[in-house]
Amino acid sequence: MTIPVDLAPSAASYRTIDTTAAEGDIVVVHSLTTVAGVCLNRDMDGLPKTLLYGGTERLRVSSQALIRPARTWIRAHSRTDEQGASSRLLPHQTALCLQERGIDPADAVPAALLAVIAAGISVDPAEPDKTRAMTYVPASAPARLAEVMLAHWDDTDVPRKETEARITTGLRNGPRARGRKKPAPEDTPATDLTDSLSPVLVAAAREAFSPGLALDISLFGRFLAEIPGGKIRSAVNVAHALSVDPHVLLTDEFTAVDDWNTGGLIGSVGMLGAQHLSSGTLYRWACLNRRQLRENLAASGAGHGEVEEAAQRAERLFTTAITYTLPNARSSRTGSAALPTLAIAATSDIALTAAAAYETPIDPPAGEEAAERLASYLTSAARLNGGTARWLSPTGSDAPSLPGVLTVEGH
């Protein structure tokens, strides 16, 4: 197996799926994965998520739960300058970067907070290490903000001291209650704090949020409404996964034995509990809009060749990640890792899901019949241009009759 040089060595456990040579505006990914005794995605009551489809309750894994491991995998296998990060801890990370450059921690905290405020991001001085909302930024953003502050250190002495004073006041008063629509004046840095900053500093601070060629941000987009250019349209659609067979809930009671209780002081059982599990064959669908991906990457100002190279690298990472990654919830107790029975990654001119093939549920074992239905549906309706199919029969049987434009391989 040949691993492209643009993937990290740790990607060797995955076989890269490459659809870049096939024509079409859309890349679609269909997969069927059988899981047994797992809880990949639970609701507020700790139960596996479900949905009603075709009059039958099905196991469901939300799109958010599917995107998270895929995005994490893409980030881990991207080059350092192509990685993003989603977090509220941007001020904290910026302060750490300032400390690494020799700034005293007592000065680094207000300076980091001032840099974030300068960019236009909302913060609460009572929580100086966090932004009010999640920020999705290039992984290099904290270092870039730190460099901005260092370049303007002497010019920001007064606003840094004012920021420090407001942090002190905020910590004394405590964080404002969440859900209060309009924060009290003492909770929010006044505009005069940033009015005294030079336009050059403000522009440089905002530039630190520019995604550049961060592949995961260009793929999945972001909603960062507080700064100009903060909104980036997602190039990816990911549907909720659903089981092709009916959902059956399993309640697993468990006990934990106290290893040190050899004298029978409190009984041998240290804890009792229960977890809720499910089994099923999941149908998953996702698509990538090539035009939108290239538009997102081109916003970095990179040349056509660099944008095209990054777009093809992002496409390979996306098709591989969305095919092979699964949420790892409770994986240490359920062994949730599984290869798809059938995975298809192909190009098309339309983004068409095959969920309709499973409106009538399949009685288990469902894997091979589900593959036959998927192959039949794609042959009749999908209009695929080219791509690959990965087949792993649970019984050793041949692959179903797939569209002729697909190259059938093993995992």
Side-chain angles (χ1 to χ4, degrees), residues 319-340:
T319 52
T320 304
I322 207 68
T323 296
Y324 287 117
T325 61
L326 280 172
N328 61 0
R330 305 195 177 203
S331 59
S332 64
R333 295 295 183 268
T334 61
S336 56
L339 288 174

Side-chain angles (χ1 to χ4, degrees), residues 210-222 231-236 288-301 307:
S210 173
L213 293 176
L215 299 187
D216 53 326
I217 296 178
S218 296
L219 283 165
F220 296 103
R222 74 179 183 190
K231 298 179 185 178
I232 298 174
R233 192 179 191 83
S234 175
V236 165
L288 166 66
N289 185 319
R290 285 173 162 176
R291 290 180 181 271
Q292 186 64 55
L293 173 62
R294 283 159 175 77
E295 182 180 322
N296 292 347
L297 291 168
S300 66
V307 167

Side-chain angles (χ1 to χ4, degrees), residues 25-58:
D25 289 339
I26 303 294
V27 179
V28 290
V29 181
H30 308 264
S31 64
L32 293 163
T33 306
T34 300
V35 292
V38 298
C39 185
L40 299 177
N41 189 203
R42 54 185 171 175
D43 62 18
M44 295 180 64
D45 297 320
L47 300 173
K49 289 186 177 180
T50 61
L51 83 162
L52 191 66
Y53 184 58
T56 303
E57 188 178 38
R58 315 291 185 94

Side-chain angles (χ1 to χ4, degrees), residues 42-75:
R42 54 185 171 175
D43 62 18
M44 295 180 64
D45 297 320
L47 300 173
K49 289 186 177 180
T50 61
L51 83 162
L52 191 66
Y53 184 58
T56 303
E57 188 178 38
R58 315 291 185 94
L59 176 63
R60 176 173 66 92
V61 180
S62 72
S63 57
Q64 297 92 327
L66 296 171
I67 287 173
R68 170 65 180 174
R71 192 180 66 188
T72 301
W73 191 89
I74 290 169
R75 184 182 304 142

Side-chain angles (χ1 to χ4, degrees), residues 86 98 124 139 196 310 358:
S86 180
L98 285 168
D124 185 344
S196 61
Y358 306 110

Side-chain angles (χ1 to χ4, degrees), residues 10 57 106 156 215 254 301 314 367 376 380 395 409:
S10 58
E57 188 178 38
T156 57
L215 299 187
F254 62 85
S376 175
S380 62
T395 62
E409 305 171 353

